[in-house]
Amino acid sequence: VVLLHGTDKKGAFLAAEKLRKAVECYPFPYGEKQPLSKLTISIGISTFPDDATEPMELLSCADKALYIAKRTGKNKVVAFSTL
């Protein structure tokens, strides 16, 4: 969990994408033993109060977004949307 106080969904997405790219590009020892020969991450984003107003609900929204990222190809950032 990363909390970005005062950051909207667009700012959170940009920060998460920067982190995702940094992990993808970093030459981790034994990274070649990972699937596709590199270590990657998927990130789910939710924002207060747009997606939820309670802490556990906010975490649940981020978790749902994370699993969408994993199911749709991994190594990506997905923002929760109530649409």
Coordinates of all heavy atoms in Angstrom, one line a residue:
V1 N 0.8 -1.2 0.0 CA 0.0 0.0 0.0 C 0.9 1.2 0.0 O 1.8 1.3 0.8 CB -0.9 0.0 1.2 CG1 -1.7 1.3 1.3 CG2 -1.9 -1.1 1.2
V2 N 0.6 2.1 -0.9 CA 1.2 3.4 -0.9 C 0.1 4.5 -0.9 O -0.8 4.5 -1.6 CB 2.0 3.6 -2.3 CG1 2.6 5.0 -2.3 CG2 3.1 2.6 -2.4
L3 N 0.3 5.4 0.1 CA -0.7 6.5 0.2 C 0.0 7.8 -0.3 O 1.1 8.1 0.1 CB -1.0 6.7 1.7 CG -1.7 5.5 2.4 CD1 -1.9 5.8 3.9 CD2 -3.0 5.2 1.7
L4 N -0.7 8.4 -1.2 CA -0.2 9.7 -1.8 C -1.2 10.8 -1.5 O -2.2 11.1 -2.2 CB -0.1 9.5 -3.4 CG 0.8 8.4 -3.9 CD1 0.7 8.2 -5.4 CD2 2.2 8.7 -3.5
H5 N -1.0 11.4 -0.3 CA -1.9 12.4 0.2 C -1.9 13.6 -0.8 O -0.9 14.1 -1.3 CB -1.3 12.9 1.6 CG -2.2 14.0 2.2 ND1 -3.5 13.8 2.5 CD2 -1.9 15.2 2.5 CE1 -4.0 14.9 3.0 NE2 -3.0 15.8 3.0
G6 N -3.1 14.1 -1.1 CA -3.3 15.2 -1.9 C -3.1 14.9 -3.4 O -2.9 15.8 -4.2
T7 N -3.1 13.7 -3.8 CA -2.9 13.3 -5.2 C -4.2 12.8 -5.8 O -4.9 11.9 -5.2 CB -1.8 12.2 -5.3 OG1 -0.6 12.7 -4.6 CG2 -1.5 11.8 -6.7
D8 N -4.6 13.3 -6.9 CA -5.8 12.8 -7.6 C -5.4 11.5 -8.4 O -4.3 11.0 -8.4 CB -6.4 13.8 -8.5 CG -5.4 14.2 -9.7 OD1 -4.3 13.6 -9.8 OD2 -5.8 15.2 -10.4
K9 N -6.5 10.9 -9.0 CA -6.3 9.6 -9.7 C -5.2 9.7 -10.8 O -4.4 8.8 -11.0 CB -7.6 9.2 -10.3 CG -7.5 7.7 -10.7 CD -8.9 7.2 -11.0 CE -9.7 7.1 -9.8 NZ -10.6 6.0 -9.6
K10 N -5.2 10.9 -11.6 CA -4.3 11.0 -12.6 C -2.8 11.1 -12.1 O -1.9 10.4 -12.6 CB -4.5 12.3 -13.4 CG -3.6 12.5 -14.6 CD -3.9 13.8 -15.3 CE -2.9 14.0 -16.5 NZ -3.2 15.2 -17.2
G11 N -2.6 11.8 -11.0 CA -1.3 11.9 -10.3 C -0.9 10.5 -9.8 O 0.3 10.1 -9.9
A12 N -1.8 9.8 -9.2 CA -1.5 8.5 -8.6 C -1.1 7.5 -9.8 O -0.2 6.7 -9.7 CB -2.7 7.9 -7.9
F13 N -1.9 7.6 -10.9 CA -1.6 6.8 -12.0 C -0.2 7.0 -12.6 O 0.6 6.1 -12.8 CB -2.6 7.0 -13.2 CG -2.5 6.0 -14.3 CD1 -3.2 4.8 -14.2 CD2 -1.7 6.2 -15.3 CE1 -3.1 3.9 -15.3 CE2 -1.5 5.3 -16.4 CZ -2.2 4.1 -16.3
L14 N 0.2 8.3 -12.7 CA 1.5 8.7 -13.2 C 2.6 8.2 -12.2 O 3.6 7.7 -12.7 CB 1.6 10.2 -13.4 CG 0.8 10.8 -14.5 CD1 0.8 12.3 -14.5 CD2 1.2 10.3 -15.9
A15 N 2.4 8.3 -10.9 CA 3.4 7.8 -10.0 C 3.5 6.3 -10.0 O 4.6 5.8 -10.0 CB 3.0 8.3 -8.6
A16 N 2.4 5.6 -10.1 CA 2.4 4.2 -10.2 C 3.1 3.7 -11.5 O 3.8 2.7 -11.5 CB 1.0 3.6 -10.1
E17 N 2.8 4.3 -12.6 CA 3.4 4.0 -13.9 C 4.9 4.2 -13.8 O 5.7 3.3 -14.3 CB 2.8 4.8 -15.0 CG 3.3 4.4 -16.4 CD 3.0 2.9 -16.8 OE1 2.1 2.3 -16.2 OE2 3.7 2.5 -17.7
K18 N 5.4 5.2 -13.2 CA 6.8 5.5 -13.0 C 7.4 4.3 -12.2 O 8.5 3.8 -12.6 CB 7.0 6.8 -12.3 CG 8.5 7.2 -12.3 CD 8.6 8.6 -11.7 CE 10.0 9.0 -11.6 NZ 10.2 10.4 -11.1
L19 N 6.8 3.9 -11.1 CA 7.3 2.8 -10.3 C 7.3 1.5 -11.1 O 8.3 0.8 -11.1 CB 6.4 2.7 -9.1 CG 6.8 1.5 -8.1 CD1 8.2 1.6 -7.6 CD2 5.8 1.5 -7.0
R20 N 6.2 1.3 -11.9 CA 6.1 0.0 -12.6 C 7.3 0.0 -13.7 O 7.9 -1.1 -13.8 CB 4.8 0.0 -13.4 CG 4.6 -1.4 -14.1 CD 3.6 -1.3 -15.2 NE 3.9 -0.3 -16.3 CZ 4.8 -0.6 -17.2 NH1 5.5 -1.7 -17.3 NH2 5.1 0.4 -18.2
K21 N 7.5 1.1 -14.3 CA 8.6 1.1 -15.3 C 10.0 0.9 -14.7 O 10.8 0.3 -15.2 CB 8.6 2.4 -16.1 CG 7.5 2.5 -17.1 CD 7.5 3.8 -17.9 CE 6.3 3.9 -18.9 NZ 6.3 5.2 -19.5
A22 N 10.2 1.5 -13.5 CA 11.4 1.4 -12.8 C 11.7 -0.1 -12.4 O 12.8 -0.6 -12.6 CB 11.5 2.3 -11.6
V23 N 10.7 -0.8 -12.0 CA 10.9 -2.2 -11.6 C 11.1 -3.0 -12.9 O 12.0 -3.9 -12.9 CB 9.6 -2.7 -10.9 CG1 9.7 -4.2 -10.7 CG2 9.5 -2.1 -9.5
E24 N 10.4 -2.7 -13.9 CA 10.5 -3.5 -15.2 C 12.0 -3.3 -15.8 O 12.5 -4.3 -16.3 CB 9.5 -3.0 -16.2 CG 9.6 -3.7 -17.5 CD 8.6 -3.2 -18.6 OE1 8.3 -2.0 -18.5 OE2 8.2 -4.0 -19.4
C25 N 12.5 -2.1 -15.6 CA 13.8 -1.9 -16.2 C 15.0 -2.2 -15.3 O 16.2 -2.3 -15.8 CB 13.9 -0.4 -16.6 SG 12.8 0.1 -18.0
Y26 N 14.8 -2.4 -14.1 CA 15.9 -2.6 -13.1 C 16.5 -4.0 -13.4 O 15.7 -5.0 -13.5 CB 15.4 -2.5 -11.7 CG 16.5 -2.6 -10.7 CD1 17.3 -1.4 -10.4 CD2 16.9 -3.7 -10.1 CE1 18.4 -1.5 -9.6 CE2 17.9 -3.8 -9.2 CZ 18.7 -2.7 -8.9 OH 19.7 -2.7 -8.1
P27 N 17.8 -4.1 -13.4 CA 18.4 -5.4 -13.7 C 18.6 -6.3 -12.4 O 19.6 -6.4 -11.8 CB 19.8 -5.0 -14.2 CG 20.1 -3.7 -13.5 CD 18.8 -3.0 -13.4
F28 N 17.4 -6.8 -11.9 CA 17.5 -7.6 -10.7 C 18.3 -8.9 -10.9 O 18.3 -9.5 -12.0 CB 16.0 -8.1 -10.3 CG 15.2 -7.0 -9.8 CD1 14.3 -6.3 -10.7 CD2 15.3 -6.6 -8.5 CE1 13.5 -5.3 -10.2 CE2 14.5 -5.6 -8.0 CZ 13.6 -4.9 -8.9
P29 N 19.1 -9.2 -9.9 CA 19.8 -10.5 -9.9 C 18.9 -11.7 -10.2 O 17.8 -11.7 -9.5 CB 20.5 -10.6 -8.6 CG 20.5 -9.2 -8.0 CD 19.3 -8.5 -8.6
Y30 N 19.2 -12.5 -11.0 CA 18.4 -13.7 -11.4 C 17.1 -13.4 -12.0 O 16.1 -14.2 -12.0 CB 18.2 -14.6 -10.1 CG 19.5 -15.0 -9.5 CD1 19.9 -14.4 -8.3 CD2 20.3 -15.9 -10.1 CE1 21.1 -14.8 -7.7 CE2 21.5 -16.3 -9.5 CZ 21.9 -15.7 -8.3 OH 23.1 -16.0 -7.7
G31 N 16.9 -12.1 -12.5 CA 15.7 -11.7 -13.1 C 15.4 -12.6 -14.3 O 14.2 -12.8 -14.7
E32 N 16.4 -13.1 -15.0 CA 16.2 -13.9 -16.1 C 15.4 -15.2 -15.8 O 14.9 -15.9 -16.7 CB 17.5 -14.3 -16.8 CG 18.4 -15.2 -16.0 CD 19.2 -14.6 -14.9 OE1 19.2 -13.4 -14.7 OE2 19.9 -15.4 -14.2
K33 N 15.3 -15.6 -14.5 CA 14.6 -16.8 -14.1 C 13.1 -16.5 -13.9 O 12.3 -17.4 -13.7 CB 15.2 -17.4 -12.8 CG 16.6 -17.9 -13.1 CD 17.2 -18.5 -11.8 CE 18.6 -18.9 -12.1 NZ 18.9 -20.2 -11.8
Q34 N 12.7 -15.2 -14.1 CA 11.3 -14.9 -13.9 C 10.6 -15.1 -15.3 O 11.2 -15.2 -16.3 CB 11.2 -13.4 -13.6 CG 11.8 -13.0 -12.3 CD 11.1 -13.8 -11.1 OE1 9.9 -13.8 -11.1 NE2 11.9 -14.3 -10.2
P35 N 9.2 -15.2 -15.2 CA 8.5 -15.4 -16.5 C 8.9 -14.2 -17.4 O 9.0 -13.1 -17.0 CB 7.1 -15.3 -16.1 CG 7.1 -15.7 -14.6 CD 8.4 -15.2 -14.1
L36 N 9.1 -14.5 -18.7 CA 9.5 -13.5 -19.7 C 10.8 -12.9 -19.4 O 11.2 -11.9 -19.9 CB 8.4 -12.4 -19.9 CG 7.0 -12.9 -20.2 CD1 6.1 -11.7 -20.3 CD2 7.0 -13.6 -21.5
S37 N 11.6 -13.6 -18.5 CA 13.0 -13.2 -18.2 C 13.2 -11.9 -17.5 O 14.2 -11.2 -17.6 CB 13.9 -13.3 -19.5 OG 13.9 -14.6 -20.0
K38 N 12.1 -11.4 -16.9 CA 12.2 -10.1 -16.1 C 11.2 -10.1 -15.0 O 10.2 -10.7 -15.1 CB 12.1 -8.9 -17.0 CG 10.8 -8.8 -17.7 CD 10.8 -7.6 -18.7 CE 9.6 -7.6 -19.5 NZ 9.5 -6.5 -20.5
L39 N 11.5 -9.3 -14.0 CA 10.6 -9.1 -12.9 C 9.7 -7.9 -13.2 O 10.2 -6.8 -13.6 CB 11.4 -8.8 -11.6 CG 10.6 -8.6 -10.3 CD1 9.9 -9.9 -9.9 CD2 11.5 -8.2 -9.2
T40 N 8.4 -8.0 -13.0 CA 7.5 -6.9 -13.3 C 6.5 -6.9 -12.1 O 6.4 -7.8 -11.3 CB 6.7 -7.1 -14.6 OG1 6.0 -8.3 -14.6 CG2 7.7 -7.2 -15.8
I41 N 5.7 -5.8 -12.1 CA 4.7 -5.6 -11.1 C 3.4 -5.1 -11.8 O 3.4 -4.5 -12.8 CB 5.1 -4.6 -10.0 CG1 5.4 -3.2 -10.5 CG2 6.3 -5.2 -9.2 CD1 5.6 -2.2 -9.5
S42 N 2.3 -5.4 -11.1 CA 1.0 -4.9 -11.5 C 0.5 -4.0 -10.3 O 0.8 -4.4 -9.2 CB 0.0 -6.0 -11.8 OG 0.4 -6.8 -12.9
I43 N -0.2 -2.9 -10.6 CA -0.6 -2.0 -9.6 C -2.1 -1.7 -9.8 O -2.5 -1.4 -10.9 CB 0.3 -0.7 -9.6 CG1 1.7 -1.1 -9.4 CG2 -0.2 0.3 -8.6 CD1 2.7 0.1 -9.6
G44 N -2.8 -1.7 -8.7 CA -4.2 -1.2 -8.7 C -4.3 0.1 -7.9 O -3.7 0.2 -6.8
I45 N -5.1 1.0 -8.4 CA -5.2 2.3 -7.8 C -6.7 2.6 -7.5 O -7.6 2.3 -8.2 CB -4.8 3.4 -8.8 CG1 -3.3 3.3 -9.1 CG2 -5.1 4.8 -8.3 CD1 -2.9 4.2 -10.2
S46 N -6.9 3.2 -6.3 CA -8.2 3.7 -5.9 C -8.0 5.1 -5.2 O -6.9 5.3 -4.6 CB -9.0 2.8 -5.1 OG -8.4 2.6 -3.8
T47 N -8.9 6.0 -5.3 CA -8.8 7.3 -4.7 C -9.9 7.7 -3.8 O -11.1 7.3 -4.1 CB -8.6 8.4 -5.8 OG1 -9.7 8.3 -6.7 CG2 -7.3 8.2 -6.6
F48 N -9.6 8.4 -2.8 CA -10.6 8.9 -1.8 C -10.9 10.4 -2.2 O -10.0 11.1 -2.6 CB -9.9 9.0 -0.4 CG -10.7 9.7 0.6 CD1 -11.7 9.0 1.3 CD2 -10.6 11.0 0.8 CE1 -12.4 9.6 2.3 CE2 -11.3 11.7 1.8 CZ -12.3 11.0 2.5
P49 N -12.1 10.8 -2.3 CA -13.3 10.0 -2.0 C -14.0 9.5 -3.2 O -15.2 9.0 -3.1 CB -14.2 11.1 -1.3 CG -13.8 12.4 -2.0 CD -12.4 12.2 -2.4
D50 N -13.4 9.6 -4.4 CA -14.1 9.2 -5.6 C -14.5 7.8 -5.7 O -15.6 7.5 -6.1 CB -13.2 9.5 -6.8 CG -12.8 11.0 -7.0 OD1 -13.6 11.8 -6.5 OD2 -11.7 11.2 -7.5
D51 N -13.6 6.9 -5.2 CA -13.9 5.4 -5.3 C -14.5 4.9 -4.0 O -15.3 3.9 -4.0 CB -12.7 4.7 -5.6 CG -12.1 5.1 -7.0 OD1 -12.9 5.4 -7.9 OD2 -10.9 5.2 -7.1
A52 N -14.1 5.5 -2.8 CA -14.6 5.0 -1.5 C -14.3 6.0 -0.5 O -13.4 6.8 -0.6 CB -13.9 3.7 -1.2
T53 N -15.0 6.0 0.6 CA -14.8 6.9 1.7 C -14.3 6.2 3.0 O -13.9 6.9 3.9 CB -16.1 7.7 2.0 OG1 -17.1 6.8 2.4 CG2 -16.5 8.6 0.9
E54 N -14.4 4.9 3.0 CA -13.9 4.1 4.2 C -12.6 3.4 3.8 O -12.5 2.9 2.7 CB -15.0 3.1 4.6 CG -16.3 3.7 5.1 CD -16.1 4.5 6.3 OE1 -15.3 4.1 7.2 OE2 -16.7 5.6 6.4
P55 N -11.7 3.3 4.8 CA -10.4 2.7 4.5 C -10.4 1.3 3.9 O -9.8 1.0 2.9 CB -9.7 2.7 5.8 CG -10.3 3.8 6.6 CD -11.7 3.8 6.1
M56 N -11.2 0.4 4.4 CA -11.3 -0.9 3.9 C -11.9 -1.0 2.5 O -11.5 -1.8 1.7 CB -12.0 -1.9 4.9 CG -11.2 -2.1 6.2 SD -9.5 -2.7 5.9 CE -9.7 -4.3 5.2
E57 N -12.9 -0.2 2.3 CA -13.5 -0.1 1.0 C -12.6 0.4 0.0 O -12.5 0.0 -1.2 CB -14.8 0.8 1.1 CG -15.6 0.9 -0.2 CD -16.8 1.8 0.0 OE1 -16.9 2.6 0.9 OE2 -17.6 1.9 -1.0
L58 N -11.8 1.4 0.3 CA -10.7 2.0 -0.6 C -9.7 0.9 -0.9 O -9.3 0.8 -2.1 CB -10.1 3.2 0.1 CG -9.3 4.1 -0.8 CD1 -10.1 4.8 -1.8 CD2 -8.6 5.2 0.1
L59 N -9.3 0.1 0.1 CA -8.3 -1.0 -0.2 C -9.0 -2.0 -1.1 O -8.3 -2.5 -2.0 CB -7.9 -1.6 1.2 CG -6.8 -2.6 1.1 CD1 -5.6 -2.1 0.5 CD2 -6.6 -3.1 2.5
S60 N -10.2 -2.3 -0.9 CA -10.9 -3.3 -1.7 C -11.0 -2.8 -3.1 O -10.8 -3.6 -4.1 CB -12.3 -3.5 -1.1 OG -13.1 -4.4 -2.0
C61 N -11.2 -1.6 -3.4 CA -11.3 -1.0 -4.7 C -9.9 -1.1 -5.4 O -9.8 -1.5 -6.6 CB -11.8 0.4 -4.7 SG -13.5 0.6 -4.3
A62 N -8.9 -0.8 -4.7 CA -7.5 -0.9 -5.2 C -7.2 -2.4 -5.5 O -6.6 -2.7 -6.6 CB -6.5 -0.4 -4.3
D63 N -7.6 -3.3 -4.7 CA -7.4 -4.7 -4.9 C -8.1 -5.2 -6.1 O -7.6 -6.0 -6.9 CB -7.9 -5.5 -3.6 CG -7.4 -7.0 -3.6 OD1 -6.2 -7.2 -3.8 OD2 -8.2 -7.9 -3.4
K64 N -9.4 -4.8 -6.3 CA -10.1 -5.2 -7.5 C -9.4 -4.7 -8.8 O -9.3 -5.4 -9.8 CB -11.5 -4.6 -7.5 CG -12.4 -5.3 -6.5 CD -13.8 -4.6 -6.3 CE -14.5 -5.3 -5.2 NZ -15.8 -4.6 -4.9
A65 N -8.9 -3.4 -8.7 CA -8.1 -2.9 -9.9 C -6.8 -3.7 -10.1 O -6.5 -4.0 -11.3 CB -7.8 -1.4 -9.6
L66 N -6.2 -4.1 -9.0 CA -5.0 -4.9 -9.2 C -5.3 -6.2 -9.9 O -4.5 -6.6 -10.8 CB -4.4 -5.2 -7.8 CG -3.3 -6.2 -7.7 CD1 -2.1 -5.8 -8.5 CD2 -2.9 -6.5 -6.3
Y67 N -6.3 -6.9 -9.5 CA -6.7 -8.2 -10.1 C -7.1 -8.0 -11.6 O -6.9 -8.9 -12.4 CB -7.6 -9.0 -9.3 CG -6.9 -9.7 -8.2 CD1 -6.8 -9.1 -6.9 CD2 -6.2 -10.8 -8.4 CE1 -6.0 -9.7 -5.9 CE2 -5.5 -11.5 -7.4 CZ -5.4 -10.9 -6.2 OH -4.6 -11.5 -5.2
I68 N -7.7 -6.9 -11.9 CA -8.0 -6.6 -13.3 C -6.7 -6.5 -14.1 O -6.5 -7.0 -15.2 CB -8.8 -5.3 -13.5 CG1 -10.3 -5.6 -13.0 CG2 -8.9 -4.9 -14.9 CD1 -11.1 -4.3 -12.8
A69 N -5.7 -5.8 -13.5 CA -4.4 -5.6 -14.2 C -3.7 -7.0 -14.4 O -3.2 -7.3 -15.4 CB -3.5 -4.8 -13.3
K70 N -3.8 -7.9 -13.4 CA -3.3 -9.2 -13.5 C -4.0 -10.1 -14.6 O -3.4 -10.8 -15.4 CB -3.3 -9.9 -12.2 CG -2.3 -9.4 -11.2 CD -2.4 -10.1 -9.9 CE -1.3 -9.6 -8.9 NZ -1.2 -10.5 -7.7
R71 N -5.3 -10.0 -14.6 CA -6.1 -10.8 -15.5 C -6.0 -10.3 -17.0 O -6.2 -11.1 -17.9 CB -7.6 -10.8 -15.1 CG -7.9 -11.7 -14.0 CD -9.4 -11.9 -13.9 NE -10.2 -10.7 -13.9 CZ -10.6 -10.1 -12.8 NH1 -10.3 -10.6 -11.6 NH2 -11.3 -9.0 -12.8
T72 N -5.6 -9.0 -17.2 CA -5.6 -8.5 -18.5 C -4.1 -8.3 -19.0 O -3.9 -7.5 -19.9 CB -6.3 -7.2 -18.6 OG1 -5.7 -6.2 -17.7 CG2 -7.8 -7.3 -18.3
G73 N -3.2 -9.1 -18.5 CA -1.9 -9.1 -19.1 C -0.7 -8.9 -18.2 O 0.4 -9.0 -18.6
K74 N -1.0 -8.5 -17.0 CA 0.1 -8.2 -16.0 C 1.0 -7.0 -16.4 O 0.8 -6.5 -17.5 CB 0.9 -9.4 -15.7 CG 0.1 -10.6 -15.2 CD 1.0 -11.8 -14.9 CE 0.1 -12.9 -14.4 NZ 0.9 -14.1 -14.2
N75 N 1.9 -6.7 -15.5 CA 2.9 -5.6 -15.8 C 2.1 -4.3 -16.3 O 2.5 -3.7 -17.3 CB 3.9 -6.0 -16.8 CG 5.0 -5.0 -16.9 OD1 5.4 -4.3 -16.0 ND2 5.7 -4.9 -18.1
K76 N 1.1 -3.9 -15.5 CA 0.4 -2.7 -15.9 C -0.2 -2.1 -14.7 O -0.3 -2.7 -13.6 CB -0.7 -3.0 -16.9 CG -1.8 -3.9 -16.5 CD -2.9 -4.1 -17.5 CE -2.5 -4.7 -18.8 NZ -3.7 -4.9 -19.7
V77 N -0.7 -0.8 -14.8 CA -1.4 -0.1 -13.8 C -2.8 0.1 -14.2 O -3.1 0.4 -15.4 CB -0.7 1.3 -13.6 CG1 -1.5 2.1 -12.6 CG2 0.7 1.2 -13.3
V78 N -3.7 -0.2 -13.3 CA -5.2 -0.1 -13.5 C -5.8 0.7 -12.4 O -5.5 0.5 -11.2 CB -5.9 -1.5 -13.6 CG1 -7.4 -1.3 -13.7 CG2 -5.4 -2.2 -14.9
A79 N -6.5 1.8 -12.8 CA -7.2 2.6 -11.8 C -8.6 2.1 -11.7 O -9.3 1.8 -12.7 CB -7.2 4.0 -12.2
F80 N -9.1 2.0 -10.4 CA -10.5 1.5 -10.2 C -11.4 2.6 -10.7 O -11.2 3.8 -10.6 CB -10.7 1.4 -8.7 CG -12.1 0.9 -8.3 CD1 -12.4 -0.5 -8.4 CD2 -13.1 1.8 -8.0 CE1 -13.7 -0.9 -8.1 CE2 -14.4 1.3 -7.7 CZ -14.7 0.0 -7.7
S81 N -12.5 2.1 -11.3 CA -13.5 3.0 -11.9 C -14.9 2.5 -11.5 O -15.2 1.3 -11.5 CB -13.4 3.0 -13.4 OG -14.5 3.8 -13.9
T82 N -15.7 3.4 -11.0 CA -17.1 3.1 -10.6 C -18.0 3.1 -11.8 O -19.2 2.8 -11.6 CB -17.6 4.0 -9.5 OG1 -17.5 5.3 -10.0 CG2 -16.8 3.9 -8.2
L83 N -17.5 3.3 -13.0 CA -18.4 3.4 -14.2 C -18.7 2.0 -14.6 O -18.0 1.1 -14.5 CB -17.6 4.1 -15.3 CG -17.3 5.6 -15.0 CD1 -16.5 6.2 -16.1 CD2 -18.5 6.4 -14.7

